[in-house]
Amino acid sequence: MTAEAPPAAPVLAYGRLIPVTVHFDDLDALGLLHNARYPVMVERAWTALWNERGFGGFEGDWEAAGDFCNAVKELRISYEAPINRPGAYAVHLWLERLGNTGLTYGFRFCSADGSVTYAHGTRVLVRLDAGTLRPTPWSDRFRALGRELLRSRG
């Protein structure tokens, strides 16, 4: 018996594909992934991506949180096909727009290989000053890493 090679990572024209797991308790009474779980899993995928890039996220101190002191301004999601079983899936993440104090990210909740889309959407975030809770610019480091995720780098 020969060992099979692991599946090749999908080739994406932009963004990153982050693995996520749907558990049995994520399903609703009809056996479908509950609509409120999609944004939670997308958020977890973003957290994993930023952690991978050296950003630790929020640890209880808004001042120290830096770029993670932000607020959601808008969330849009469209559900295309139901997820009706637990297992391995993925979230395709990218930035649509990276402004001075805000950004818009895009996402697709998809099969583990990225070939099937179950839901897609966008979310607008605004970076906030920890003291005033007013918009404030993203750090240079965050902006540099964010530019790598832009769908269109033109």
Side-chain angles (χ1 to χ4, degrees), residues 26 28 32-43 75 77 79:
D26 293 319
D28 65 14
L32 304 175
L33 180 59
H34 192 282
N35 69 83
R37 301 302 292 162
Y38 288 83
V40 170
M41 291 187 186
V42 169
E43 181 70 20
L75 172 66
I77 186 167
Y79 303 95

Side-chain angles (χ1 to χ4, degrees), residues 82-128:
I83 291 177
N84 59 6
R85 70 179 137 232
Y89 295 88
V91 178
H92 179 193
L93 303 170
W94 66 89
L95 291 182
E96 288 287 340
R97 183 187 67 81
L98 178 58
N100 187 44
T101 62
L103 62 79
T104 302
Y105 71 67
F107 63 90
R108 282 187 319 120
F109 201 105
C110 52
S111 57
D113 67 0
S115 64
V116 177
T117 299
Y118 298 100
H120 61 89
T122 59
R123 185 165 133 174
V124 177
L125 294 178
V126 177
R127 172 131 194 278
L128 300 175

Side-chain angles (χ1 to χ4, degrees), residues 6-18:
V11 176
L12 301 172
Y14 56 89
R16 287 282 312 279
L17 199 63
I18 305 295

